[in-house]
């Protein structure tokens, strides 16, 4: 028997669950954010509990801050603005959302952002429409308005190209969920732009000795002369594999990559494309792994949500399809 758990407001552009799955936020085309909670423990239904004006443009993405830093969301707007809001309880009857920080893209729009929860600092990686990446660090774990710019660089491996009039429609960032336990902080990022050298998904890792971010892997094949435009990337949780798994959705399709955990003498990590997944009609825009890193959910322009798993022989197969009602 089907049960409606929530009815979203007209004009909803995006939604995002918090880490526990007990509440979620919805971004609207008028710049508002509505927060929903599961109030009744005996019901799976959600009800709106807060509403606030977050941005001056449509909200395209909401990113929850890791729970140990409180209840807070970063809101990314259609105009490229990125603003951090925190829920504050004035008293038992008065709960408000207050703006904590406005991340500046200078003259370029922010097209994606993602938090990386590291042992010492909460980090935020932002991708800009000109192909630049900016890394911020929270300097005080109890004050969400204390951010500093740690690094800024372009998504290129070697010589900085002549970018000219860069047109970047979107980007996707995914942090290594386990990077701080084995190696330094790392993340993967890909761009959907008119500059091929910016597009290919690259893994960046922080070099503690030299205090800088370095590209340690490029998720592309040697025969790819023109790296394809990337729509989404997702780094899988690792609970014991000797390698990492990264999913990449691009203009050439949906691929699964193995990333070696041991660097070579130059500090590079070897990569191997293990699967191309066929099934979606059109582009894939969003991907998420389950907590075990064994099941991948993908959603795309065809309106379908598809579930993928690897069998015992390493073959990636579709395990289920969720169709809109």
């Amino acid at each position: 028997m089907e049960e409606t758990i929530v009815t979203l407001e007209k004009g909803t552009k995006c939604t995002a669950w918090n880490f526990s799955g007990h509440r979620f936020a919805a971004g609207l085309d008028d710049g508002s954010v509505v927060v929903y909670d599961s109030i009744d423990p005996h019901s799976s239904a959600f009800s709106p509990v807060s509403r606030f004006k977050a941005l001056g443009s449509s909200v395209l993405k909401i990113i929850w801050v890791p729970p140990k830093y409180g209840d807070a969301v970063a809101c990314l707007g259609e105009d490229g603005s990125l603003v951090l809001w925190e829920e504050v309880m004035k008293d038992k009857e008065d709960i408000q959302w207050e703006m904590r920080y406005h991340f500046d893209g200078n003259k370029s729009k922010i097209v994606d952002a993602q938090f990386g929860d590291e042992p010492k600092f909460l980090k935020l990686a932002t991708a800009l429409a000109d192909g630049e990446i900016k890394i911020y660090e929270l300097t005080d774990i109890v004050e969400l308005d204390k951010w500093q710019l740690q690094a800024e660089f372009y998504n290129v491996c070697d010589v900085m190209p002549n970018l000219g009039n860069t047109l970047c429609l979107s980007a996707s960032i995914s942090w290594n969920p386990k990077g701080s336990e084995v190696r330094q902080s790392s993340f993967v990022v890909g761009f959907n732009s008119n500059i091929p050298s910016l597009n290919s998904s690259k893994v960046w890792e922080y070099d503690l000795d030299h205090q800088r971010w370095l590209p340690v892997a490029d998720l592309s094949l040697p025969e790819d002369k023109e790296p394809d435009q990337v729509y989404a990337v997702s780094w899988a949780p690792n609970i014991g594999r000797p390698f990492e798994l990264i999913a990449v959705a691009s203009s050439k399709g949906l691929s699964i990559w193995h990333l070696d955990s041991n660097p070579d003498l130059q500090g590079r990590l070897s990569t191997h494309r293990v699967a191309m997944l066929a099934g979606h009609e059109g582009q894939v825009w969003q991907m998420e792994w389950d907590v075990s890193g064994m099941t991948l959910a993908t959603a795309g322009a065809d309106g379908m949500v598809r579930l993928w798993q690897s069998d015992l022989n390493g073959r990636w197969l579709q395990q289920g399809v969720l169709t809109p009602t």
Side-chain angles (χ1 to χ4, degrees):
M1 180 178 178
E2 295 182 355
E3 179 185 359
T4 300
I5 63 171
V6 67
T7 300
L8 299 175
E9 292 189 21
K10 184 179 180 181
T12 297
K13 303 285 285 187
C14 64
T15 59
W17 294 90
N18 73 344
F19 286 76
S20 68
H22 292 152
R23 66 188 336 205
F24 72 94
L28 278 62
D29 56 9
D30 67 353
S32 298
V33 170
V34 181
V35 180
Y36 296 81
D37 280 355
S38 179
I39 300 176
D40 184 355
H42 303 290
S43 172
S44 58
F46 285 76
S47 301
V49 294
S50 299
R51 182 189 182 100
F52 60 95
K53 182 75 170 180
L55 300 171
S57 66
S58 297
V59 182
L60 297 184
K61 184 175 183 179
I62 296 173
I63 314 105
W64 286 87
V65 170
K68 66 182 179 183
Y69 299 97
D71 284 311
V73 294
C75 302
L76 178 62
E78 188 175 30
D79 61 358
S81 59
L82 181 65
V83 182
L84 180 64
W85 293 81
E86 183 181 18
E87 186 180 54
V88 179
M89 182 176 291
K90 299 295 185 180
D91 54 54
K92 293 183 178 180
E93 302 297 329
D94 186 15
I95 298 177
Q96 300 178 7
W97 285 81
E98 298 182 354
M99 190 183 79
R100 287 292 178 252
Y101 199 83
H102 188 287
F103 296 93
D104 188 10
N106 292 329
K107 296 180 180 180
S108 186
K109 295 170 57 176
I110 298 174
V111 292
D112 195 33
Q114 200 64 249
F115 289 107
D117 189 11
E118 305 297 325
K120 294 183 179 180
F121 300 101
L122 174 65
K123 289 182 170 62
L124 177 71
T126 62
L128 279 64
D130 61 359
E132 189 177 23
I133 300 164
K134 291 188 177 183
I135 309 295
Y136 296 86
E137 284 184 347
L138 182 67
T139 59
D140 189 330
I141 63 173
V142 297
E143 299 290 342
L144 288 179
D145 60 349
K146 301 295 190 299
W147 292 87
Q148 68 177 9
L149 180 63
Q150 185 227 14
E152 48 188 330
F153 48 89
Y154 284 87
N155 191 40
V156 293
C157 291
D158 300 310
V159 179
M160 182 65 190
N162 181 12
L163 297 180
N165 295 321
T166 304
L167 176 60
C168 179
L169 300 178
S170 63
S172 182
I173 302 168
S174 183
W175 287 85
N176 181 353
K178 197 180 176 182
S180 59
E181 297 181 18
V182 180
R183 296 171 59 86
Q184 294 299 321
S185 303
S186 57
F187 64 90
V188 59
V189 59
F191 282 81
N192 174 15
S193 79
N194 62 337
I195 307 296
S197 58
L198 289 176
N199 290 336
S200 66
S201 301
K202 300 177 183 67
V203 176
W204 292 84
E205 184 173 277
Y206 189 65
D207 182 352
L208 187 60
D209 293 335
H210 299 91
Q211 299 287 299
R212 61 177 180 172
W213 289 87
L214 297 175
V216 295
D218 194 331
L219 303 183
S220 62
L221 299 175
E223 59 266 27
D224 291 338
K225 297 180 180 180
E226 292 288 323
D228 46 334
Q229 296 165 320
V230 175
Y231 306 131
V233 295
S234 187
W235 196 314
N238 191 337
I239 55 174
R241 288 188 306 268
F243 54 85
E244 300 293 336
L245 273 181
I246 299 177
V248 178
S250 70
S251 55
K252 294 181 181 177
L254 177 59
S255 57
I256 304 293
W257 292 79
H258 282 187
L259 177 70
D260 196 350
S261 299
N262 299 313
D264 60 19
L265 296 178
Q266 286 73 42
R268 302 280 294 180
L269 300 175
S270 63
T271 63
H272 179 53
R273 191 179 72 184
V274 296
M276 288 292 295
L277 308 182
H280 281 286
E281 296 180 6
Q283 299 167 349
V284 173
W285 292 105
Q286 191 169 4
M287 304 184 294
E288 292 289 343
W289 294 91
D290 69 344
V291 293
S292 68
M294 298 178 66
T295 302
L296 176 68
T298 61
D302 59 4
M304 303 292 186
V305 176
R306 301 181 186 273
L307 304 178
W308 311 86
Q309 284 184 342
S310 172
D311 65 14
L312 296 178
N313 295 317
R315 295 176 302 175
W316 283 85
L317 303 172
Q318 182 175 284
Q319 300 296 327
V321 181
L322 305 178
T323 59
T325 56

